[in-house]
Amino acid sequence: MDLELEHDVALVTASSAGLGYGSAEALADAGADVVICGRDAEKLATAEKALESVGTGRAVGVEADITDPDSIEDLVEVAVDEFGGIDHLVTSAGGVPPGTFDETTEKDWYGAYDMLVMSVVWTVKTAAPYLRQSDAGTITCITSTSVQEAIDGLVLSNAVRRGVVGLVKTLAREYAPDVRANAVLPGAHETSRIEELVEDSVERGEYDSYDEGLRSWADDIPLGRVGDPRELGDVVAFLASRRASFVNGAALPVDGGRLRS
């Protein structure tokens, strides 16, 4: 399927690895020029080089902290200077600390809000003028299935991420018809975070091998496995494309069928 993204410009935040990188890779594979960002210069350079070999467009990596609005302004400025505008914005963010309600501090709550919600607010506000100038502007926010079903031990994600979905639903009405806004709700994917958790469980003796530990994450997934970040990325690229031109305000789970709601 031709997604008609060739020569479009996509800005993907928190994208030197994980779900953000999987999204950038899918967009690049569809022919888009991509701007990625991260805080680790070495990891960012590796991701930029890898993306350059994926599609026909260019990839530009920018060191940026998405919890700093000034850094986000610089990021958007680089994208516009390099490519003349922005057609597609994909917001991603790192995970927030796990824990129960009693274990979390006030500082944890404010940090999670900046990471998960304000990073989206700042990025959308800064990129919005350019998205509106595009003939097919889109916003796709990567959140989590926790916005539909709470996950034990992840109170910050359960509570705070819901604000992003509320924002997406609002933007889908306020920015239409010039810009479409959607969210994707990933379940378990084999990102570096899950790899670390599995490796830790193997070291604790809970599992005999990495593969056994990884399979445990799929116990309640009907498809019987965790996802690959690129599988999430392919959904993101579709939502950004003209093929999804009547999809607006959706919150789409990408979780192998785990959600029952």
Side-chain angles (χ1 to χ4, degrees), residues 6 38 45 47 73 98 121 186 192 214 255:
E6 194 167 358
E73 286 188 10
V121 171
S192 58
L214 187 64
D255 68 343

Side-chain angles (χ1 to χ4, degrees), residues 129-187:
Y130 306 103
L131 295 171
R132 284 176 160 141
Q133 290 170 11
S134 171
D135 61 357
T138 69
I139 299 167
T140 306
C141 298
I142 301 174
T143 59
S144 167
T145 55
S146 66
V147 305
Q148 284 194 11
E149 290 182 7
I151 301 172
D152 291 345
L154 293 180
V155 65
L156 293 173
S157 180
N158 296 339
V160 177
R161 287 186 188 273
R162 291 172 185 249
V164 176
V165 174
L167 174 61
V168 165
K169 296 295 286 187
T170 302
L171 293 174
R173 299 186 69 84
E174 291 186 357
Y175 279 14
D178 299 323
V179 178
R180 292 185 295 109
N182 295 289
V184 289
L185 319 181

